[in-house]
Amino acid sequence: MTDIQVLFLNASLKGSSEPSHTQGLYEKAQKLYEQEGARTESIRLADYDIHYGVTGDEGDGDEWPQLLEKVKQADIVLIGTPLWLGEKSSLATQAIERLYGTSGDTNDKGQAIYYNKVGGVVITGNEDGAKHAAASILYGLSHIGFVIPPNVDAYWVGEAGPGPSYLDGEASENAFTNKHIEMLVYNTLYFAKLLKDHPIPAKGNTL
């Protein structure tokens, strides 16, 4: 799997100088990816000046284009988000909007540039909303061309109401979450390798 590149876009509202519960959960996946020989990169979106808009480059110092180049090079793209009021973060929404802005760009076969890439999602929170946020993000990725394998929504949420977040207690031992991390990793790797060896045919799939 040494030819597989995994990109994690962490949509935490905190910059990289602060701990991220979403990053903590992703790191479990990252270890498995690297054990399988995949190359990984994690980006905290809050560290970048990403402008609002739906183009590939909004100009005037917009730093999204450099992130878009990393997406183009990746085989697997995971979006990670905390939950706020039961929803994905505003940065997760912005990332989907900016990805959508270049969904009309094509590869050398005339397909959307996100074809033959695999998507997934990692979610943390101390309130409900994980499945709702996952559905929103995974649909968005699928709509613009990403392949979405089964069981690629790994999440952890605490009990209802205010309480500890992922890094605050014993959440790392949660069997359900850890199993879904495994399914996320191995299913995305399987499909990424499959698509490298057998890309989606251009017939009927050009823009």
Side-chain angles (χ1 to χ4, degrees):
M1 296 289 183
T2 55
D3 59 340
I4 301 295
Q5 175 68 41
V6 182
L7 178 65
F8 181 61
L9 300 178
N10 185 347
S12 168
L13 300 184
K14 298 177 290 189
S16 57
S17 62
E18 300 180 69
S20 162
H21 299 284
T22 306
Q23 183 71 31
L25 179 54
Y26 164 70
E27 286 173 357
K28 287 209 157 192
Q30 183 179 28
K31 289 178 182 177
L32 293 177
Y33 279 125
E34 292 178 353
Q35 286 174 13
E36 295 298 318
R39 292 169 287 117
T40 67
E41 182 175 7
S42 178
I43 290 173
R44 196 80 72 92
L45 295 179
D47 290 342
Y48 293 82
D49 183 8
I50 303 172
H51 293 189
Y52 295 105
V54 285
T55 70
D57 187 350
E58 290 293 316
D60 194 27
D62 181 22
E63 293 183 327
W64 175 255
Q66 61 186 282
L67 302 183
L68 181 60
E69 286 304 310
K70 292 179 181 293
V71 172
K72 290 178 179 179
Q73 296 301 314
D75 302 294
I76 298 170
V77 177
L78 306 178
I79 293 181
T81 182
L83 293 171
W84 293 105
L85 297 173
E87 300 279 354
K88 63 185 182 295
S89 75
S90 56
L91 276 176
T93 297
Q94 189 180 26
I96 293 291
E97 290 171 346
R98 295 304 302 270
L99 289 169
Y100 181 65
T102 45
S103 60
D105 292 356
T106 57
N107 61 23
D108 57 2
K109 294 181 179 179
Q111 300 166 319
I113 57 172
Y114 306 123
Y115 262 55
N116 301 307
K117 298 183 184 299
V118 178
V121 63
V122 173
I123 297 171
T124 60
N126 55 14
E127 57 185 299
D128 198 10
K131 291 183 179 179
H132 171 72
S136 174
I137 291 171
L138 293 177
Y139 169 76
L141 293 176
S142 173
H143 182 72
I144 62 178
F146 283 85
V147 170
I148 307 300
N151 299 119
V152 291
D153 54 328
Y155 64 89
W156 182 89
V157 292
E159 296 182 2
S165 296
Y166 182 75
L167 297 175
D168 295 336
E170 299 179 353
S172 63
E173 300 175 9
N174 184 280
F176 177 87
T177 297
N178 290 340
K179 183 59 182 177
H180 276 261
I181 283 288
E182 289 184 359
M183 289 191 287
L184 167 77
V185 169
Y186 292 111
N187 287 349
T188 53
L189 283 175
Y190 173 81
F191 276 88
K193 184 70 168 105
L194 182 68
L195 291 167
K196 269 190 174 293
D197 295 339
H198 305 283
I200 298 171
K203 185 176 181 179
N205 285 300
T206 56
L207 298 179

